[in-house]
Amino acid sequence: MKAFALPEVLNRLHREHADFARLLDLLDRQLALFDRGAADYDTVSAILQYCAEYPDAVHHPKEDLIYRVLRSRDPQLAAEVGDLEDDHRRLGELTRELASLIERALAEEMVDREEVHGLTRDFIRRYRHHIAREELHVFPAARQVLSEQDWAAIDKELDSGDDPLFGEAVADYFRDLRDDIDELAALAGGD
Ligand SMILES: [Fe+2]
Ligand SMILES: [Fe+2]
């Protein structure tokens, strides 16, 4: 392990994982409500919209960039931690699939409740597993292999788009979602 400080890009990705974990907790709560016939589809839809707008469009491409450098430096280690780009593609597909199912439910079309439950549960499980894999395997491998110059080049190349939900300026259309997340976090913290 190299002795330099944690690269800023990894700091940021790590903070974003903590934010996504709170989002997944809210989705988990909606799944429990769904099983009692009381889910709020607008909330679920907003969660999925955010996943498409930020994790899929900004967060995952940053990780892909790190992964590609790791693969070019140490293909064997990259293979051991798994194909991150493929994982991101699959998560993106799952997001779109679930979003379209929820849109149909919002439009009051007939949807299979088992399918909604199963896909939502899979989505939560796979996202959490994905984040854990990055934290436990991919990021440590990248820290081990990438040089300070690599991180500086990555930092330079990255455009850090603003997070419309957890960033300083919350987009109007995510205001309610942000309130729900903060409320759930306050409940969990016993406030
Ligand atoms: Fe990722
Ligand atoms: Fe990530």
Side-chain angles (χ1 to χ4, degrees):
M1 186 75 66
K2 306 241 174 23
F4 53 85
L6 194 64
E8 177 48 33
V9 59
L10 277 190
N11 258 326
R12 174 146 184 187
L13 292 168
H14 177 68
R15 283 198 306 272
E16 290 177 349
H17 284 169
D19 291 335
F20 300 165
R22 292 163 67 203
L23 188 76
L24 293 169
D25 287 346
L26 182 68
L27 187 57
D28 220 353
R29 183 162 177 264
Q30 283 297 327
L31 182 59
L33 289 169
F34 174 79
D35 291 342
R36 304 203 300 266
D40 179 352
Y41 286 127
D42 285 320
T43 300
V44 178
S45 175
I47 290 171
L48 296 166
Q49 185 188 342
Y50 170 73
C51 287
E53 270 189 40
Y54 195 77
D56 285 345
V58 179
H59 178 98
H60 293 158
K62 284 186 214 168
E63 293 168 335
D64 287 341
L65 189 55
I66 293 169
Y67 185 73
R68 285 198 288 272
V69 179
L70 170 65
R71 196 171 49 203
S72 73
R73 299 272 183 281
D74 190 336
Q76 195 186 332
L77 185 57
E80 278 170 27
V81 299
D83 187 340
L84 200 64
E85 290 176 293
D86 187 53
D87 222 17
H88 288 152
R89 258 192 307 276
R90 286 161 185 266
L91 278 177
E93 282 165 16
L94 189 57
T95 304
R96 288 189 291 279
E97 194 184 343
L98 184 55
S100 100
L101 191 60
I102 298 300
E103 287 315 309
R104 278 167 42 213
L106 270 168
E108 295 183 2
E109 285 178 33
M110 286 289 286
V111 290
D112 180 346
R113 291 187 62 81
E114 286 289 311
E115 194 186 354
V116 175
H117 176 96
L119 210 55
T120 308
R121 190 198 49 212
D122 277 3
F123 181 89
I124 295 167
R125 197 164 49 197
R126 282 174 57 180
Y127 240 98
R128 283 178 175 155
H129 183 259
H130 174 77
I131 290 171
R133 188 152 75 84
E134 290 177 337
E135 292 283 342
L136 295 173
H137 302 292
V138 182
F139 293 174
R143 283 200 74 194
Q144 195 185 318
V145 169
L146 273 62
S147 65
E148 261 181 287
Q149 287 77 8
D150 289 329
W151 290 112
I154 287 170
D155 260 337
K156 228 169 141 184
E157 195 162 329
L158 288 179
D159 150 41
S160 45
D162 288 333
D163 186 326
L165 176 61
F166 293 102
E168 301 232 326
V170 179
D172 283 347
Y173 53 93
F174 284 141
R175 191 69 256 173
D176 288 347
L177 181 58
R178 177 60 187 268
D179 289 345
D180 287 348
I181 289 165
D182 290 345
E183 204 177 295
L184 187 63
L187 278 174
D191 294 357

